[in-house]
Amino acid sequence: DYLYYIEGDSFYNKLHILDLTTNKTKTITDEDVKEFTVYNKYIYYVSNKDNQLYKVNILGKEKQSIFTDKVEHICIESDVIYASDITDGKAIYRISLDGKENKKILSMENSLMNLYIIANNQIGILKKKISDNYICWYDLEGNPTKNTSLKELYSGLGIYFPNLTTFGIYDNNKVLINTNYKRFVFEEI
């Protein structure tokens, strides 16, 4: 078993792997890493140097450029990368694992905090209307499925913001999804 993590100071973060059996640590890349996810023996990460998406194998070899636009908030679901494209108004793009195909699927117009979540094969975007905030749900192709008012969610199923960097969905005080804006890490409880 292995643990992948970012370590450094506020100016430079390296990606490391910790072998939980031997307790030995190895640096995967000397590049400044903003965020990452591990999927199918590859590490997909955003470089702080250019905000582009790259992949390396789990040993830190075979580096490939996957998407050359500036991105943040990467997530992989059903063998597809989803990323927020900074150069396109933080629109959400579907990107193939090899980077050969990409497609804009959602605009982030009228969204709150340019945040999206992926859960249960759906994309949820926090949006704002004059009278209410709501989550707009889409399938993984970007087709709308439903809107859920936050007022509705406050009765039973709800949204919480314990601080300015965390967003969560809960049901009867049990957290279902937790995400950290900065690292975009999900916990299903």
Side-chain angles (χ1 to χ4, degrees):
D1 292 331
Y2 298 94
L3 173 71
Y4 296 87
Y5 64 97
I6 296 173
E7 182 178 56
D9 55 33
S10 59
F11 299 106
Y12 200 85
N13 298 297
K14 293 181 181 180
L15 181 61
H16 303 278
I17 183 174
L18 170 64
D19 184 324
L20 297 174
T21 307
T22 65
N23 216 23
K24 292 186 179 180
T25 300
K26 177 186 174 196
T27 300
I28 295 294
T29 179
D30 287 325
E31 194 167 354
D32 186 11
V33 175
K34 185 175 190 175
E35 61 184 292
F36 73 96
T37 189
V38 180
Y39 188 79
N40 285 346
K41 299 184 181 180
Y42 284 94
I43 302 166
Y44 296 83
Y45 69 92
V46 177
S47 167
N48 254 333
K49 179 181 176 185
D50 56 16
N51 285 328
Q52 294 180 10
L53 179 60
Y54 296 93
K55 93 174 182 182
V56 294
N57 67 22
I58 55 174
L59 301 174
K61 309 276 187 215
E62 303 173 18
K63 179 181 173 181
Q64 290 180 285
S65 174
I66 298 297
F67 193 65
T68 57
D69 284 3
K70 295 175 189 268
V71 298
E72 63 183 3
H73 306 308
I74 59 172
C75 182
I76 298 178
E77 179 75 24
S78 302
D79 290 335
V80 176
I81 303 165
Y82 294 86
S84 181
D85 187 337
I86 299 169
T87 58
D88 190 5
K90 298 196 176 185
I92 300 173
Y93 274 72
R94 260 178 81 92
I95 305 165
S96 63
L97 293 175
D98 61 8
K100 292 181 181 176
E101 298 176 29
N102 67 73
K103 177 183 176 186
K104 178 179 176 176
I105 59 167
L106 288 170
S107 168
M108 293 297 277
E109 295 169 5
N110 299 320
S111 64
L112 293 173
M113 296 176 270
N114 291 318
L115 173 73
Y116 66 95
I117 60 172
I118 296 182
N120 299 321
N121 289 317
Q122 293 192 77
I123 302 168
I125 300 175
L126 288 174
K127 298 247 180 170
K128 181 173 182 67
K129 286 186 179 178
I130 293 172
S131 61
D132 190 15
N133 296 327
Y134 63 99
I135 298 178
C136 190
W137 294 99
Y138 301 86
D139 65 21
L140 294 178
E141 297 293 328
N143 302 308
T145 57
K146 64 182 175 179
N147 291 338
T148 307
S149 164
L150 294 189
K151 288 178 185 174
E152 291 173 30
L153 292 175
Y154 288 135
S155 59
L157 179 66
I159 302 292
Y160 74 101
F161 295 89
N163 58 52
L164 293 177
T165 62
T166 303
F167 163 73
I169 299 177
Y170 66 91
D171 182 11
N172 295 325
N173 296 324
K174 180 183 175 194
V175 176
L176 301 176
I177 298 172
N178 228 2
T179 182
N180 178 305
Y181 294 160
K182 292 182 180 176
R183 295 285 183 225
F184 206 66
V185 173
F186 288 103
E187 299 171 27
E188 291 193 38
I189 300 171

